[in-house]
Amino acid sequence: SSELTQDPAVSVALGQTVRITCRGDSLRNYYASWYQQKPGQAPVLVIYGKKGRPSGIPDRFSASRSGNMGSLTITGAQAEDEADYYCNSRDTSGNHVVFGGGTKLTVL
Amino acid sequence: EVQLVESGEGLVQPGGSLRLSCVASGFTFSNYAMHWVRQSPGKGLEYVSAINSNGDTTYYADSVKDRFTISRDNSMNTLYLQMDTLRPEDMAVYYCTRGNSSILDSWGPGTLVTVSS
């Protein structure tokens, strides 16, 4: 079982804002990173650290953290944002890396 | 441009062995920790193994410990995963990834390992 918990599925209307969450005790001490995976493709890092965004990732993607929960927010979701989203971080020991179970985002 | 290309895809019987390779280019390979992450069909991502930049520290998930061995050759810009005593549950796409700490900033396209009799 994963030490990071994500909702299995979330939906958002085109152009609206959606938040995808990731919960785990380790997130009190470590920031989550977020990955987008489209069918048949490798994951892509979209957010890391407090608010890092790799080159080429649109600024509609942002992240936040509160207590034991990390969040990925997409402001003005686009059709191309429909994908699976995974969080990861260190575990509570700090020695290992864990992934959340993933959230399937549907853009309506 | 950072590129990671895995190879070693194959079909192997339970109990068999397979070696995966990942050739890196576009960055100074010896400066980065490297990782293997896998994804079983229709499932989520599972962190498998990691090795630090100079190869003297390794990590394994409990599910593969004592069966898989990660290594690297910095002179060849290549990462390896030796997989022994394979089980049906090891069947997955295996991704080579780059990253220091838990931030995995570059991924290869993946290579498929099928374990079946």
Side-chain angles (χ1 to χ4, degrees), chain A residues 33 35 37 42 86 88 90 96, chain B residues 39 44 59 95 101-102 104 108:
Chain A
S33 296
Y35 305 84
Q37 186 180 35
Y86 294 90
N88 88 328
R90 291 280 173 181
H96 309 303
Chain B
Q39 186 170 36
Y59 161 81
Y95 295 103
S101 187
S102 60
L104 307 177

Side-chain angles (χ1 to χ4, degrees), chain A residues 19-70:
Chain A
R19 187 175 74 166
I20 299 170
T21 61
C22 176
R23 289 180 172 82
D25 287 341
S26 65
L27 298 184
R28 297 183 185 279
N29 299 312
Y30 301 100
Y31 286 102
S33 296
W34 292 90
Y35 305 84
Q36 177 193 70
Q37 186 180 35
K38 297 182 179 179
Q41 298 182 19
V44 172
L45 178 69
V46 294
I47 292 286
Y48 62 93
K50 190 172 183 179
K51 53 181 180 178
R53 197 170 52 245
S55 173
I57 302 300
D59 61 5
R60 63 178 178 271
F61 290 88
S62 63
S64 60
R65 184 179 75 173
S66 177
N68 73 336
M69 187 175 75

Side-chain angles (χ1 to χ4, degrees), chain B residues 74-113:
Chain B
N74 285 347
S75 68
M76 299 289 289
N77 292 344
T78 303
L79 175 73
Y80 302 100
L81 186 67
Q82 176 66 40
M83 303 185 294
D84 298 320
T85 320
L86 281 161
R87 304 168 178 168
E89 56 264 35
D90 295 319
M91 185 166 71
V93 173
Y94 284 73
Y95 295 103
C96 164
T97 77
R98 180 187 85 163
N100 291 324
S101 187
S102 60
I103 302 170
L104 307 177
D105 64 3
S106 296
W107 296 62
T111 191
L112 177 63
V113 173

